[in-house]
Each structure stands twice: as structure tokens, then as C-alpha cells.
Amino acid sequence: MTRVLAAVALILAVGLATVDAQAWSWRSHGKPGTVNIKSAMAVMKDGKLFGVGGNKKLYERVWTGSGWTWVNHGKPSSGIFNPKNFLEEPCILRDGKVYMTTIDGDLYERYWTGSQWSFGAHGNPGTNLEGCSALKDTAGRAMVFTRGHDGTLRERYWTGSSWAWRNHGKPPGTDAYGTTSSYAIYGPTTRVFVPGRNGRLFRFSLDGNYNGAWKNLGAPPGKSVRKVHATEKGGIFAITVDGDVCRWSGSWACYGKPDGKAVWDCSDPFLIENPSINIQTLFCVHTGSYQEVYQLSVFQGGSGWVNRGKPSGTNTFVDRPTVMFSGPYSRVFVPANNGKVYELYPPGQP
């Protein structure tokens, strides 16, 4: 195993710098004024990050070209006495739009008009909504997937001239539970993953003609699925109720707990491509009163956990890590218990 991990270190030196835990560093992005950031930071492709503050408003962390700054996007209001409060991590559409659900179960959009940012109200389809994942497939169709409190998978999609709702129903024999993860493959085909209340992982496939089908992917032997994170080139990873991280690829494989610590949540997985080997990797935080970030790398013939530590002066995190790519490097962002957002970065990263 030592020889395998040495090989991994050499390969990661090309894409992620190195697996040496001491080689990575932490830096603080602070917080917007006195407001604590309470959600994971959703990453936009042009280097912007969006998260929710303790005051239920939407905030952006953005690189201006000469430095990082915080932007307060506020929150929409359906009336003077009825502001819409945000709660969870937003999701990003590839064309740069930000989506988020409110505490009272509506879907909202934050978009750039060409001259300013504005909120768009999508409401709900007759059931309160929670969480979201968004994508634009290769046919150019915009889709936002979210879970209804009635246990169904709901889709907000662009018809070409207007937005509409579609109800994809429940996973066979159970309710949808938790948030969704989705991506597009093979042209206009879309795949959405959602845990079932029965502890099984379900995949919903939607083709270019809007024909959909559910598939029960089961669960690792003796375990129940609690969360799922999937990308087309990063694999399908689930966090189980007992804190293992497992991958589904026609069958289940599990990678245990880092240093025996139960995993709480992880970033989306991504693929490091190399001529001799491909590595699927993701960053995770574990449960407990003293949390650290661990990196899991999965490659042909093995896997390995690396402890990336924690920012100085912090003890816990309030949500999962997310990953931003900058050239050949990856940056990891995670909100901590002191309300600040911290960045974990490899050597050579400016």
C-alpha cells in the first residue's frame, strides 16, 4: 500500500500538487461585515462564490482582479412584511444564474440583467421545496431539480419561451429524501440522484424527449445512504448513515472512515485525468466537536485518505466543503463555526 500511495503522490503532483498534507495551506476570507456565513459556498464558473448568511441573506465572494471582496445580494421580498429568507446552500446554473430555496419552500433565482443583479421568483409547484441542483444540458435546456416536501422530485425547466414545472414523482416504493445531485451525459440525457427515505440511492434519467425513468441503485451492504454527490467525470459518491463514503459504479465500494472518524458531508467529486491513471477525489469533513478536512482519492487498484487539517483558531465547520478550479489547481472553500469562510489551497496557488 505504501508503494501505491507513493505513486498517487507523483500523479497528484501534476494535477493537485501533492498528497503531502503539509504542502497545503489555509487562508481566511473573513465574513461580510458582522454577518456569519451559515451555508456551503456554491461555486460559479467565473470565480464567484455564493452563500447564505445568518441573517438569511445571499452573499457573494468575488475576485475583482486585484483582490477579494464581499457583496451583499440581500433577499427578495413578496411584501413589506413578508421578506423571503434563504436557508441552504445555493446551486449554480452553468450560464451564471444562482438558484436557492427559501425557508417557506419557494424557489428563487438571482441573475444578471446585463446591468444589475435581480431576483426572479419561481414559487413552488404546490408543495414546499428544499435544496436544488441545476444544469444546462448539451441541447441548451436549463433545468433546476429540487425535492418536494411531499417526497417527489420536481423540475423547473425552460421551455424555450417560459419557465414551467414538471413532477417526476417519487422513487419507487419510497419518498425522495435530502437534496439532489444532477448532471448531463450523452447529449441531452440528464441524470439526477436522490437518496430515498428507505436508505437506498435512486437515479432518475431524463432523455432528450423528456421521457424519464427511475432506477433503484440500492445501498452498500448493511448500510443506508444519507447524502449523494455526483458529477459526470467525478463518479457517484454517497455518504452513509454510519459515516462511510462509498461509490456506486455498477456495484458499491466503500472507503471507510478517515482515521476512524464518521464523515458528515463532502464536496462534489471530480476527476484528475492522467495518461497512466485516473483519480477520483473529493474533500470531506467528519462529525465531532473538533473537525478537520480530509481528502479522499480513489484510483484503479486502491484509495487513500489524507488529512488536510483545519484553519487555525477554528474547531468545527457549519457546512460542507466546495471546490473551485483555477487553471490546473483546485481551491477548497469551507465555512467555519466563527462565521468566516476559509480556503484550502495547494502549493503554487496564487
Side-chain angles (χ1 to χ4, degrees):
M1 186 62 180
T2 303
R3 299 174 79 181
V4 173
L5 288 176
V8 175
L10 285 174
I11 295 160
L12 285 176
V14 177
L16 277 182
T18 177
V19 224
D20 178 5
Q22 300 305 315
W24 290 57
S25 302
W26 287 96
R27 60 184 158 213
S28 172
H29 283 258
K31 57 185 178 181
T34 60
V35 177
N36 290 347
I37 295 297
K38 292 291 189 179
S39 82
M41 302 296 288
V43 178
M44 193 175 283
K45 62 182 179 181
D46 59 359
K48 299 180 176 72
L49 301 108
F50 293 84
V52 174
N55 57 2
K56 311 301 191 295
K57 293 181 179 180
L58 178 68
Y59 288 89
E60 175 188 355
R61 185 68 170 164
V62 60
W63 176 257
T64 64
S66 58
W68 287 93
T69 189
W70 286 100
V71 178
N72 181 355
H73 285 264
K75 55 187 176 183
S77 177
S78 59
I80 296 175
F81 302 107
N82 187 26
K84 292 291 185 176
N85 292 315
F86 298 125
L87 177 64
E88 295 185 305
E89 173 189 348
C91 62
I92 304 293
L93 195 65
R94 275 194 339 201
D95 61 3
K97 297 179 180 179
V98 186
Y99 292 84
M100 60 233 99
T101 50
T102 62
I103 290 176
D104 58 356
D106 285 344
L107 180 69
Y108 270 81
E109 171 187 349
R110 187 69 168 164
Y111 64 97
W112 182 254
T113 66
S115 59
Q116 64 180 14
W117 285 97
S118 182
F119 280 109
H122 289 268
N124 67 59
T127 181
N128 288 351
L129 304 171
E130 183 176 356
C132 65
S133 60
L135 62 89
K136 205 169 190 180
D137 67 16
T138 53
R141 300 179 301 180
M143 307 174 186
V144 183
F145 295 95
T146 180
R147 179 182 66 86
H149 282 192
D150 60 355
T152 59
L153 175 66
R154 303 289 179 139
E155 178 193 352
R156 186 70 166 165
Y157 70 103
W158 181 250
T159 66
S161 58
S162 63
W163 286 96
W165 287 104
R166 198 160 21 221
N167 183 358
H168 294 301
K170 299 181 179 184
T174 190
D175 289 346
Y177 181 74
T179 57
T180 67
S181 187
S182 57
Y183 59 78
I185 60 166
Y186 309 132
T189 301
T190 299
R191 287 184 171 173
V192 188
F193 299 85
V194 60
R197 190 171 290 276
N198 61 358
R200 301 296 182 261
L201 180 63
F202 290 86
R203 183 184 70 202
F204 182 79
S205 297
L206 187 67
D207 67 19
N209 296 316
Y210 298 104
N211 298 312
W214 286 99
K215 182 176 178 61
N216 184 348
L217 303 182
K223 298 182 182 292
S224 295
V225 171
R226 181 170 53 86
K227 288 181 177 289
V228 60
H229 298 293
T231 61
E232 180 183 359
K233 290 188 176 181
I236 303 145
F237 285 81
I239 297 99
T240 63
V241 170
D242 64 349
D244 271 2
V245 178
C246 303
R247 180 170 64 106
W248 187 86
S249 179
S251 60
W252 285 99
C254 293
Y255 307 103
K257 302 175 177 67
D259 294 333
K261 304 168 185 174
V263 169
W264 171 41
D265 205 354
C266 299
S267 69
D268 290 340
F270 56 94
L271 180 67
I272 305 166
E273 294 183 286
N274 182 277
S276 60
I277 191 170
N278 289 333
I279 302 172
Q280 296 180 80
T281 191
L282 62 167
F283 293 84
C284 303
V285 293
H286 56 84
T287 59
S289 57
Y290 182 96
Q291 295 175 316
E292 296 171 303
V293 172
Y294 280 81
Q295 180 181 352
L296 171 63
S297 297
V298 178
F299 47 93
Q300 185 176 2
S303 64
W305 287 98
V306 175
N307 185 350
R308 298 294 183 195
K310 69 178 187 70
S312 176
T314 66
N315 289 321
T316 60
F317 301 108
V318 298
D319 210 333
R320 74 187 184 108
T322 51
V323 179
M324 175 192 289
F325 293 97
S326 177
Y329 300 102
S330 62
R331 304 179 180 197
V332 183
F333 293 84
V334 58
N337 61 301
N338 60 3
K340 297 178 181 180
V341 174
Y342 289 88
E343 176 188 347
L344 173 66
Y345 62 97
Q349 179 70 49

